[in-house]
Amino acid sequence: MTFDIHNKVSIVALGGVHEIGKNMYVIECGEDIVVVDCGSKFPDESLLGIDVIVPDIAYLLENEERVRGLVVTHGHEDHIGGIPYIIKRLNMPIYATRLTLGLIKGKLKEHGLLGKTALHQIESNTRLLLGSLPLTFFSTNHSIPDCLGIAFHTPQGTIVHTGDFKFDLTPVNDQFADIHRMAELGTKGVLALLSESTNAEKPGFTPSERLVGEHILEAFAKATGKIFITTFASNVHRLQQIINAAVKTGRKTIFIGRSMVNVVDVASSLGYLSVPPNTIVEIEEAGKYKREELVFVCTGSQGEPMAALGRIASGNHRQVEVSPGDTVIFASSPIPGNERNVARIVDNLFARKATVIYGSGASTGMHVSGHASQEELKLMLTLFRPKYFIPIHGEYRMLHLHRLLAEAVGVDPGNIFIVNNGDVVDIVGSEAIQERKVPSGNTYVDGLGIGDVGNVVLRDRKVLAEDGILIIVLTLGKSDHKVIAGPDIVSRGFVFVKESEALMDDIYRLTLAEVDRLLQGNEKQAIQWSVYKQAIKEAVGKFLFAKTKRRPMILPIIIQV
């Protein structure tokens, strides 16, 4: 089916579907494209050498002249982490709330991009016109302040993107979710709702963040030595409650870890952290205080070995150490897949005779989720009463369960779309259809390179990591093509040459025999070096697999003199 671009609205998923991280969605209306969020996610162990993953923006680059701006729902990494990498390729104005904008500025400054793109501050009562597309906003609760949902008022009807949310009726910072505004939008009619699905597996309601503060204060009051506490650096509400507990128990607070320090600097400078005078001290001043007067707030809640808590637990931190009787608190729950890393750090802490409070947040009382559980997801659906529903931000099982919740509150099963990254839902005449795809996927960031590491490079890295490399260097005469020197054989990560002399001798003889075979009858013809390299590679590869059952990367190098 073809559509008139001037008479349709399209919802495009470029990231954040069937995954947790690198959120990016696109709303198209006529000639206008508005991007929602630009997140990143961290690689798993299979992506060797990759620093971070961001969305593939090939589709946006193809339609660059139609892109009106990037609207950001909140300041978590999976929603803002990709911005500096994407802005280098597609510069567009950015619209975000005060705290979110402060965190984005820090990222742009780090990449030398501050001042090179237009930054606009918005609030929950802002009315925005991007191209010819009107946008309004509504406040939501999450584990970071200044979170917004977005309403796109298109000619076909209103499309709502919730952002990440929960319904916390007693928020730590008194930023209440604007339920009245949501209900007002629902009463006027919502054509399509995009709602996050992270906690679609969890029944009931997500507890209030205030409960965590009570448990943290109780643990601080019982602790006798130093206190180490780790949480997500961006959880400003949790940081505030840690500061409050430290003040009430007469302790000074020290923040450790680059991301933690950055968030505290931004949040406190903008007034999102209330810090009494002389509460926070620098790590260099720790020696001035007694053990029972200090609280160290560390990065590393997910068991990252190089984060602050990981280095402290292994005894590799230059300025801080855990002593017997100190208390370590995990004010977090492990993200699925990180359990083993967290367990390793917990073991190290116990070995240092620390008291460790760890485990799921529900069991320790030290963590509550920032995401809506099933009853809150149903409440959001009931408030907006959408004609069409697209569950977003979650693994497939979460999207599927969110679909069932939508059906339970009355959404027509035929009007629910579970999309993949790259899928497009087109709406014409208030009727939706899903039959198109656009380019999508992952862009890998490795050092300063953005998108220059693809599947071939990753495959080579995997081979190098698993089986190593064998380099064969030959020097041939330019006129007679005879072997002048070599073959010299270099092994890295395959076998230790001095302990495998017989194998090296076999490779030496095999290479010479292969060169002789190739040169037979070709002494006076131009040599196609690529053919010779491939022949050596194949012959040696077959021999090594037969001998060792390994497949190292084989790199023949031919030099003419």
Side-chain angles (χ1 to χ4, degrees):
M1 182 180 294
T2 58
F3 296 104
D4 177 3
I5 189 175
H6 299 286
N7 191 38
K8 75 177 175 72
V9 174
S10 300
I11 301 166
V12 186
L14 291 183
V17 184
H18 299 264
E19 62 184 345
I20 303 295
K22 73 175 187 68
N23 290 276
M24 178 179 278
Y25 298 87
V26 170
I27 306 298
E28 297 187 44
C29 181
E31 292 287 348
D32 303 314
I33 289 179
V34 176
V35 184
V36 180
D37 291 337
C38 182
S40 64
K41 71 175 184 178
F42 293 110
D44 59 32
E45 61 276 4
S46 67
L47 299 176
L48 301 168
I50 299 302
D51 298 321
V52 74
I53 306 170
V54 299
D56 181 351
I57 60 166
Y59 178 70
L60 296 178
L61 293 173
E62 290 173 6
N63 295 275
E64 183 174 357
E65 72 285 351
R66 298 173 55 209
V67 176
R68 305 297 176 233
L70 167 64
V71 184
V72 184
T73 59
H74 67 281
H76 279 155
E77 283 295 308
D78 55 339
H79 296 260
I80 68 170
I83 288 177
Y85 306 105
I86 300 305
I87 289 298
K88 290 176 182 178
R89 304 174 64 200
L90 176 59
N91 200 338
M92 52 186 161
I94 300 173
Y95 301 84
T97 52
R98 189 160 167 256
L99 176 60
T100 307
L101 213 56
L103 296 171
I104 291 171
K105 285 178 180 178
K107 290 185 173 296
L108 294 176
K109 183 178 181 180
E110 183 179 339
H111 287 259
L113 298 171
L114 191 59
K116 296 183 180 180
T117 190
L119 303 175
H120 303 278
Q121 183 176 316
I122 57 176
E123 308 293 343
S124 60
N125 59 357
T126 298
R127 293 180 176 273
L128 198 60
L129 186 66
L130 297 182
S132 59
L133 180 59
L135 282 69
T136 59
F137 305 90
F138 54 92
S139 298
T140 59
N141 299 128
H142 190 37
S143 54
I144 189 172
D146 277 9
C147 298
L148 293 179
I150 310 170
F152 299 86
H153 302 278
T154 79
Q156 303 293 333
T158 300
I159 297 173
V160 173
H161 186 299
T162 65
D164 289 0
F165 73 93
K166 63 189 281 189
F167 286 103
D168 190 339
L169 302 182
T170 57
V172 172
N173 62 349
D174 294 328
Q175 285 188 355
F176 294 91
D178 195 346
I179 298 176
H180 297 289
R181 173 66 178 146
M182 299 178 204
E184 179 186 355
L185 287 166
T187 300
K188 292 179 180 178
V190 170
L191 176 62
L193 174 66
L194 288 73
S195 182
E196 71 127 327
S197 312
T198 308
N199 274 358
E201 298 171 286
K202 298 183 179 180
F205 289 84
T206 301
S208 172
E209 176 67 28
R210 284 190 187 272
L211 298 177
V212 177
E214 297 170 6
H215 287 96
I216 289 175
L217 178 58
E218 181 182 355
F220 278 25
K222 292 180 179 178
T224 54
K226 298 191 294 292
I227 296 174
F228 296 85
I229 184 167
T230 183
T231 189
F232 295 105
S234 59
N235 194 333
V236 177
H237 304 324
R238 190 74 44 81
L239 299 180
Q240 181 66 70
Q241 298 201 103
I242 292 169
I243 292 171
N244 294 346
V247 171
K248 289 179 181 178
T249 54
R251 292 176 180 264
K252 302 295 184 182
T253 304
I254 297 174
F255 292 97
I256 312 177
R258 183 182 176 193
S259 59
M260 186 74 72
V261 171
N262 288 343
V263 169
V264 170
D265 286 346
V266 172
S268 57
S269 67
L270 296 177
Y272 290 90
L273 276 177
S274 176
V275 184
N278 302 317
T279 298
I280 298 176
V281 298
E282 299 297 326
I283 192 170
E284 292 80 11
E285 303 176 69
K288 299 178 182 179
Y289 300 92
K290 298 177 182 178
R291 291 173 57 200
E292 58 271 19
E293 294 178 330
L294 294 173
V295 175
F296 295 89
V297 189
C298 313
T299 54
S301 65
Q302 296 306 303
E304 306 95 316
M306 296 308 295
L309 186 62
R311 289 185 286 125
I312 291 169
S314 61
N316 292 323
H317 199 284
R318 292 179 299 169
Q319 297 166 293
V320 187
E321 65 178 9
V322 174
S323 305
D326 289 346
T327 298
V328 183
I329 301 170
F330 284 79
S332 59
S333 289
I335 294 172
N338 292 340
E339 295 90 350
R340 184 180 299 177
N341 291 337
V342 173
R344 185 180 301 115
I345 288 180
V346 171
D347 283 343
N348 289 340
L349 292 167
F350 273 118
R352 294 179 178 277
K353 296 181 172 55
T355 299
V356 188
I357 301 174
Y358 69 100
S360 70
S363 64
T364 65
M366 294 296 176
H367 177 68
V368 296
S369 175
H371 300 274
S373 297
Q374 289 179 353
E375 296 305 312
E376 294 156 283
L377 295 175
K378 289 193 286 186
L379 175 57
M380 184 66 83
L381 283 156
T382 302
L383 288 170
F384 284 117
R385 297 182 293 177
K387 179 178 180 180
Y388 296 104
F389 175 57
I390 304 175
I392 60 172
H393 197 327
E395 307 286 356
Y396 185 85
R397 64 187 183 279
M398 303 168 189
L399 306 181
H400 174 73
L401 290 172
H402 204 173
R403 171 208 280 270
L404 299 181
L405 295 176
E407 292 178 11
V409 299
V411 180
D412 184 342
N415 288 353
I416 301 173
F417 298 92
I418 294 183
V419 297
N420 294 300
N421 289 333
D423 285 352
V424 181
V425 176
D426 291 304
I427 305 175
V428 176
S430 298
E431 297 298 319
I433 188 169
Q434 178 191 349
E435 61 178 18
R436 287 198 298 134
K437 290 186 73 71
V438 301
S440 68
N442 296 327
T443 297
Y444 301 120
V445 178
D446 183 359
L448 296 177
I450 302 172
D452 57 350
V453 175
N455 291 331
V456 174
V457 173
L458 288 172
R459 184 189 64 204
D460 287 347
R461 289 181 180 181
K462 191 169 186 291
V463 171
L464 288 169
E466 293 178 352
D467 294 313
I469 186 171
L470 193 75
I471 303 172
I472 302 170
V473 183
L474 272 170
T475 303
L476 303 183
K478 194 169 186 179
S479 57
D480 61 7
H481 308 160
K482 300 294 183 183
V483 176
I484 297 175
D488 297 319
I489 301 168
V490 180
S491 170
R492 292 292 183 271
F494 171 51
V495 294
F496 187 46
V497 172
K498 291 184 178 179
E499 295 178 357
S500 307
E501 292 182 359
L503 183 64
M504 294 299 108
D505 288 342
D506 289 341
I507 296 171
Y508 179 92
R509 288 190 291 269
L510 177 62
T511 303
L512 288 178
E514 190 65 18
V515 171
D516 288 340
R517 183 186 68 81
L518 292 167
L519 288 174
Q520 290 297 321
N522 293 324
E523 292 88 347
K524 296 183 179 180
Q525 297 180 21
I527 294 179
Q528 296 180 358
W529 298 116
S530 60
V531 174
Y532 282 63
K533 290 177 182 179
Q534 186 63 29
I536 294 170
K537 184 177 178 180
E538 289 179 0
V540 174
K542 289 177 183 178
F543 168 76
L544 290 177
F545 185 75
K547 282 280 189 179
T548 67
K549 298 302 179 191
R550 291 188 236 167
R551 298 186 188 274
M553 179 180 290
I554 299 169
L555 183 62
I557 299 174
I558 298 176
I559 302 170
Q560 294 182 77
V561 293

